[in-house]
C-alpha cells in the first residue's frame, strides 16, 4: 500500500482525484473473471487482455475501437485456449465493471464543496456518455479520460495535464487509484497517493491526512 508523499502539508490539500474503474466502481476484472469461469477457463485467464495489454492500451488512447478490440480478443482466446467467445457476451462482461460503489458516492458527496474533485481514468471513447450519465457530475469539476487526450496512465504526461486542469501544485492534490503502477508518476509530481483497497480503508487514509 502506498504512503502519503513525504513532506505533504495536509492543510494545503485543495483537490482529490479518483480513478473510475475499481475505485468509484467495482473491480475492473470482476465481470471478465465470471465470464472466464463460464467458459471453463481459469478465473484469471481473461485478465491479461485488459491489464497490461498493448491492444487495450490503444483503445484507452482512442487509437482502436472497442468493437475491433473485442473481435481481436475473441480470435486470441480461440487460438490460445480453443474456446469460442461470444463478442456480445465478452462486451457485457467488460461492462459489468460499471457498477458504482454506493459508499464511494457517499464519500464524494461529503467531500463535494470542500475540495476540488476530479476523475482520472484510463477509459475508452465509447464510455464517454456512460460516464457523463452515471457519475454525479455536480460533485466533480471534470473527468479526464485517457481516450480524449490520447495518453493513458502511467504516462507522466496525463498527470501533468491533470495538474494543469486542476490549477494546483502536486503537493495540493491527493490521488486515489487501485492499480499500484499508476501511483509513482503522480507521487513524482508531488501528489499524495493512496492505493485503493476498499471505501472504509480509504476513509481512514483520508482522515490521516486531515481530510
Amino acid at each position: 500500500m502506498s504512503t502519503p508523499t513525504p513532506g505533504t502539508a495536509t492543510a494545503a490539500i485543495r483537490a482529490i482525484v479518483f480513478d473510475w474503474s475499481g475505485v468509484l466502481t467495482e473491480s475492473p476484472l470482476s465481470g471478465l473473471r465470471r465470464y472466464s469461469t463460464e467458459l471453463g477457463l481459469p478465473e484469471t485467464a481473461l485478465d491479461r487482455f485488459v491489464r497490461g495489454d498493448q491492444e487495450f492500451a490503444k483503445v484507452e488512447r482512442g487509437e482502436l475501437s472497442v468493437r475491433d478490440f473485442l473481435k481481436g480478443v475473441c480470435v486470441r482466446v480461440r487460438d490460445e485456449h480453443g474456446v469460442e467467445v461470444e463478442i456480445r457476451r465478452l462486451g457485457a462482461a467488460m461492462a459489468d465493471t460499471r457498477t458504482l460503489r454506493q459508499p464511494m458516492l457517499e464519500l464524494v458527496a461529503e467531500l463535494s464543496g470542500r475540495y476540488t474533485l476530479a476523475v482520472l481514468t484510463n477509459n475508452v471513447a465509447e464510455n464517454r456518455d456512460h460516464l457523463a450519465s452515471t457519475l454525479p457530475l455536480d460533485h466533480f469539476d471534470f473527468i479526464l479520460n485517457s481516450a480524449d487526450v490520447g495518453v493513458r496512465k502511467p504516462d507522466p504526461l496525463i498527470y501533468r495535464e491533470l495538474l494543469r486542469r486542476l490549477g494546483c501544485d502536486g503537493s495540493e492534490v491527493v490521488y486515489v487509484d487501485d492499480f499500484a503502477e499508476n501511483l509513482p508518476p503522480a507521487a513524482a509530481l508531488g501528489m499524495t497517493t493512496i492505493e485503493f483497497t476498499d471505501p472504509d480503508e480509504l476513509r481512514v487514509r483520508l482522515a490521516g491526512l486531515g481530510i
Side-chain angles (χ1 to χ4, degrees):
M1 182 179 296
S2 60
T3 56
T5 305
T8 296
T10 57
I13 296 298
R14 295 173 49 203
I16 305 172
V17 181
F18 301 91
D19 177 36
W20 182 59
S21 184
V23 176
L24 295 176
T25 76
E26 298 297 333
S27 167
L29 301 175
S30 57
L32 285 174
R33 289 180 176 180
R34 285 191 292 270
Y35 185 43
S36 185
T37 300
E38 289 177 21
L39 291 171
L41 299 174
E43 183 183 48
T44 60
L46 299 179
D47 287 12
R48 74 177 191 83
F49 295 109
V50 297
R51 188 168 188 184
D53 183 75
Q54 292 306 305
E55 291 301 296
F56 193 59
K58 292 179 182 178
V59 178
E60 292 182 327
R61 290 194 297 265
E63 299 169 1
L64 182 69
S65 73
V66 171
R67 180 167 181 78
D68 285 344
F69 166 74
L70 293 175
K71 287 165 63 177
V73 171
C74 290
V75 171
R76 285 191 281 171
V77 172
R78 183 185 62 211
D79 291 347
E80 294 176 18
H81 299 285
V83 173
E84 293 294 332
V85 175
E86 296 180 16
I87 190 169
R88 290 184 179 179
R89 183 65 187 86
L90 178 61
M94 292 184 66
D96 281 349
T97 65
R98 295 174 173 181
T99 303
L100 291 167
R101 299 180 192 266
Q102 187 59 37
M104 289 301 297
L105 296 182
E106 293 169 2
L107 174 60
V108 165
E110 293 171 21
L111 296 172
S112 179
R114 299 167 50 206
Y115 299 92
T116 298
L117 302 181
V119 174
L120 175 61
T121 175
N122 279 353
N123 222 302
V124 301
E126 288 87 344
N127 270 351
R128 189 181 298 111
D129 290 342
H130 175 76
L131 283 165
S133 64
T134 57
L135 282 176
L137 296 184
D138 53 322
H139 294 324
F140 291 102
D141 286 70
F142 62 86
I143 298 171
L144 179 51
N145 185 338
S146 62
D148 291 335
V149 293
V151 182
R152 66 190 293 275
K153 299 176 289 185
D155 190 318
L157 289 175
I158 200 166
Y159 302 92
R160 294 193 184 101
E161 176 62 15
L162 172 67
L163 292 180
R164 187 190 71 78
R165 295 192 185 192
L166 288 171
C168 293
D169 291 329
S171 62
E172 299 173 314
V173 179
V174 174
Y175 176 59
V176 183
D177 199 305
D178 64 317
F179 281 2
E181 59 265 36
N182 291 334
L183 298 175
L189 291 172
M191 297 184 221
T192 298
T193 60
I194 298 176
E195 184 177 351
F196 180 85
T197 53
D198 63 69
D200 290 337
E201 173 66 14
L202 177 58
R203 282 184 177 274
V204 171
R205 299 295 300 280
L206 292 176
L209 294 170
I211 297 172

